[in-house]
Amino acid sequence: MRNPNPKEWQAQDYSQNRIADYKAYNFVDGEGIRNSLYVSGCLFACEGCFNKAVQNFNYGVPFTQELEDQIIEDLRPDYVQGLTLLGGEPFLNTPVCLQVVDRVRQEFGHSKDIWSWSGYTYEELLVDTQDKLELLSKIDILVDGRFELSKRNLNLQFRGSSNQRIIDVAASKAQGKAVIWAKCKDAEESYEQIKKQI
Ligand code: SF4
């Protein structure tokens, strides 16, 4: 696993504006029914990465205006709660992610929520480049941190290892520290505690 210094990795140096996948109407990438955009490229190189192919910034297909329009149309039904950004690394693909997020806000305001996964922690993003801060400021929920194989737990809500957190971005900004999403069911529980409940 690689650990960058603040501002060491910049989207402008790496992003190829490519998409690994897009899945409409799924219910595993956050709360409710969601449309998920998987961007290509990640530098964290976590051992046990769920999909090593998406670490390559040239993987997949170019992001297009047609896909952006499709994402917007797929968000229109009332039963769709929001958009999820995953990777790869969304915060190293900010040109694509900011464009999509801005369009979602323009079309839907805050009636749709936006979740993003990231290998960066919330605290790391706070001291990184302006584009990362901008994307962070425009999303509702951040699922943060590298995937750590030694902390893997397949029972956790929406995350793969126990170091990762589901963070309420607006509440965190208001309180000046990472605030766990109020609906997180297992934030403080160890693997053993969770196992006892099964
Ligand atoms: S942050 Fe995610 S996509 Fe990137 S290497 Fe780690 S597990 Fe893979």
Side-chain angles (χ1 to χ4, degrees), residues 3-175:
N3 297 308
N5 294 318
K7 304 183 183 179
E8 182 180 343
W9 298 340
Q10 306 211 13
Q12 63 191 25
D13 297 330
Y14 291 102
S15 178
Q16 301 297 316
N17 298 340
R18 293 177 77 86
I19 300 304
D21 203 357
Y22 168 65
K23 287 186 183 143
Y25 314 130
N26 78 75
F27 45 86
V28 292
D29 294 333
E31 188 184 41
I33 296 174
R34 316 191 61 80
N35 299 334
S36 300
L37 182 66
Y38 298 77
V39 291
S40 297
C42 180
L43 295 170
F44 285 106
C46 305
E47 188 186 355
C49 172
F50 67 101
N51 187 352
K52 275 188 96 166
V54 299
Q55 293 179 13
N56 188 332
F57 285 87
N58 289 308
Y59 184 79
V61 297
F63 180 74
T64 60
Q65 188 61 51
E66 287 71 27
L67 179 56
E68 181 185 310
D69 293 343
Q70 184 67 50
I71 292 168
I72 296 302
E73 288 313 306
D74 291 342
L75 280 169
R76 289 201 191 283
D78 287 344
Y79 59 81
V80 177
Q81 181 166 329
L83 174 75
T84 299
L85 305 171
L86 310 101
E89 175 52 58
F91 286 82
L92 290 175
N93 279 283
T94 45
V96 167
C97 292
L98 282 169
Q99 185 175 326
V100 175
V101 164
D102 285 345
R103 177 86 186 275
V104 170
R105 293 304 188 208
Q106 183 191 322
E107 299 271 352
F108 302 107
H110 286 265
S111 66
K112 303 289 179 182
D113 64 13
I114 301 175
W115 287 47
S116 181
W117 265 248
S118 180
Y120 286 97
T121 64
Y122 176 77
E123 291 79 7
E124 286 174 325
L125 288 172
L126 288 182
V127 293
D128 215 287
T129 51
Q130 193 55 42
D131 57 317
K132 294 188 187 74
L133 282 172
E134 185 181 347
L135 182 58
L136 181 64
S137 74
K138 290 177 173 174
I139 63 172
D140 300 292
I141 299 287
L142 176 76
V143 183
D144 83 335
R146 282 46 129 199
F147 171 69
E148 293 188 30
L149 192 56
S150 63
K151 296 177 181 167
R152 183 172 73 156
N153 181 348
L154 299 178
N155 296 312
L156 291 170
Q157 187 185 24
F158 301 132
R159 54 222 200 278
S161 60
S162 59
N163 59 294
Q164 296 170 318
R165 303 170 295 180
I166 308 175
I167 292 174
D168 181 326
V169 175
S172 300
K173 190 174 178 196
Q175 295 189 33

